Each structure stands twice: as structure tokens, then as C-alpha cells.
Amino acid sequence: MPSLLHNLARLGLVWFSREEVSDPLDYQVLEAQPVDVPVGVSRRRLRFVRRSVHLTPFGEDFCRAAFGDGPAQR
């Protein structure tokens, strides 16, 4: 997940909020997923940062071009 988010940000498609999310339970499913842990680091020592990810204006344009404007668009 971190490399995917990093690449989306690198491409200018998303930006990350500095504020914590209001409901940490929103992250339960993600935190339960297996994580690639660097050698020598315990999974118990990992720290999750719970923040929002938002589309940039370019990301919104990209999604409209790739997926259309809505369900009626085919």
C-alpha cells in the first residue's frame, strides 16, 4: 500500500491530509492486511498513520477521462 500511494502522489493524482481521520475504525480493514515488514523490524513496532487521501484536480480529471462522469456514462 505505501508504494502504491507514493506512486499516485508522485504522479500528482493524490495529496495527503496532515490531519488525522475522524474515525480510526475506517482503517480497520487496511490494518488487518499483511504488511511487508523490513528485515529486522517487528510488526509490533510498526506505526500506522491514519490520514485522508484526496484526489488532486489533475487526479479528478484523470478519473473522469479514464472512468467517465458517472454510472450513466459508458
Side-chain angles (χ1 to χ4, degrees):
M1 184 62 79
S3 61
L4 169 70
L5 291 174
H6 173 75
N7 280 329
L8 292 174
R10 181 181 59 81
L11 294 169
L13 297 171
V14 299
W15 63 275
F16 305 106
S17 170
R18 293 191 181 271
E19 297 177 16
E20 293 270 335
V21 294
S22 57
D23 186 4
L25 293 179
D26 290 342
Y27 278 74
Q28 249 182 343
V29 173
L30 290 174
E31 290 175 5
Q33 301 301 312
V35 176
D36 290 332
V37 180
V39 174
V41 175
S42 162
R43 180 165 166 72
R44 289 180 289 160
R45 291 180 51 203
L46 292 179
R47 185 175 74 93
F48 289 96
V49 178
R50 298 173 188 95
R51 296 199 176 122
S52 299
V53 179
H54 304 274
L55 287 172
T56 62
F58 176 64
E60 290 175 4
D61 290 344
F62 178 84
C63 287
R64 270 193 294 279
F67 306 116
D69 288 331
Q73 184 89 3
R74 295 198 188 249

